[in-house]
Amino acid sequence: MFTMALKLPSRDLIASFDSSDVDLADAQTLPPECYTDADFYEFEKEALYYHEWLCAGRESWVKNPGDYFTTNIAGEPIVVARGRDGKVNAMSSVCAHRAMLVAEGSGNTRMFLCPYHHWAYGLDGKLTGAPAMEKTCNFNKEDHGLTRFAVEIWHGFIFVNFDLDAAPLAPRLTDVSDAISGYDLANADGDKPDKPGVFPWNWKVMFENNNDGYHASKLHQGPLHDFVPSDLAEFPEADPADAGFLRYNGTLHADASFNATQKALLPVFPNLSDADRNRMTFANIPPTLSLVMMSDMVIYLILRPTGPETMEQDTGILVAPGASKHPSFGHKMEMNMVAAMHIIDQDMHVDELVQVGLRSKFAPRGRYSWQEGAQIQFNRWLIKRYRDAYDRLTSPKLTAVKGAA
């Protein structure tokens, strides 16, 4: 998916990442242009989105054969569907004829019919019908299906990869999987979120905010958050080659949850360890999925950039299996969400103003507190992929191919 017109970052910018890829005590934040520059965003799509595993949604959104939903990640329209064989498929929703989208929204269908010229596709993306094409030379339906993507299901989340040769996801998430196994997320209850939120900031601003334990006791100080103090933050080591990383934050009492009582109101996930019940766990699978995990509720964020300074996000809730069937569930969830939305509103206000600040000619490359250990893990994850992409795109072999083109 390499674009010939792609403008690569300067060597100086790539070299400047070195100071963000050192020990936390010595590190600087990433250069501001990584959050604002249109050319860098195009490079980032090649470095991250065209080759990494991207969370598209939950497997429960396509429970039955024929169920489908659509999404758009970094400008690429995607349709996810469960086939008659029970397999989950992910494809480009761009018609192979004239680029009309063959699917919108979500629902259940026998096939995807392009409304423009009625080319028909199976739930696996294969072209099954193309009216009035019998006079077209050398036209074979087998060659004109929807572009298929790699699919992997991880803890009930559907991941897609545009790169069919990409290494599998799960083997690079063993530490994260072990840490969250008690939540049994594959079987957790949770409805499909409504319309995604649309936000005027770079996706990394959102991802960093969700990883930032440093601000919790400052921005969120008060009875809705003081039981999760910043000085109880922990940052397990992670290999930048892995697909994700963790952050823990200890709580002042067991089964802490975001509501006015500070305690879990919903049924606790039944398989949690004592350690799980005395902390909040933040599991991150960049660039698209971030999990905030409490004893009775998991908030998941599916992040999708729409430009260098804009993004949209699905925000969903998962609870213990069967919890949503209890008669008092709606009332208790409402109590949780009143507190959660108060905290989220504070974060949104900060995210918007951080993006404004990043545009300034005076935007700094700041220093980190020890309570920002997850930020250095995120930096290392990003920088490895930025460097790998830069090296790949400036390799003599690729340069020769570009010259020949």
Side-chain angles (χ1 to χ4, degrees), residues 253-267:
H253 55 261
D255 297 332
S257 191
F258 291 129
N259 59 66
T261 75
Q262 303 184 358
K263 296 275 289 182
L265 298 174
L266 303 172

Side-chain angles (χ1 to χ4, degrees), residues 6-83:
L6 182 65
K7 182 178 180 180
L8 296 181
S10 68
R11 291 187 182 275
D12 287 344
L13 181 61
I14 297 296
S16 75
F17 294 153
D18 291 351
S19 62
S20 298
D21 188 16
V22 294
D23 288 342
L24 182 64
D26 296 311
Q28 287 185 304
T29 56
L30 291 170
E33 53 261 56
C34 295
Y35 303 82
T36 61
D37 185 75
D39 289 332
F40 188 83
Y41 172 65
E42 293 301 319
F43 167 73
E44 192 171 59
K45 288 197 288 186
E46 172 61 34
L48 306 181
Y49 292 92
Y50 296 162
H51 301 284
E52 292 296 323
W53 288 93
L54 310 173
C55 185
R58 293 279 297 168
E59 187 177 15
S60 60
W61 301 357
V62 285
K63 290 181 180 178
N64 304 308
D67 286 353
Y68 73 93
F69 69 88
T70 59
T71 187
N72 189 302
I73 303 179
E76 291 299 330
I78 299 167
V79 58
V80 177
R82 189 176 292 276

Side-chain angles (χ1 to χ4, degrees), residues 77 79 91-103 112-121 125 127 129-131 144-147:
V79 58
M91 304 148 285
S92 171
S93 59
V94 176
C95 182
H97 175 224
R98 294 271 296 280
M100 174 67 185
L101 298 189
V102 303
F112 297 110
L113 183 67
C114 177
Y116 200 4
H117 300 97
H118 282 203
W119 282 33
Y121 302 89
L127 182 65
H144 295 276
L146 301 177
T147 299

Side-chain angles (χ1 to χ4, degrees), residues 225-229 231-232 249-256 262-263 277-279:
H225 208 295
D226 284 350
F227 52 89
V228 196
D231 59 5
L232 293 183
N249 210 113
T251 57
L252 298 182
H253 55 261
D255 297 332
Q262 303 184 358
K263 296 275 289 182
R277 296 179 68 168
N278 282 277
R279 67 189 179 198

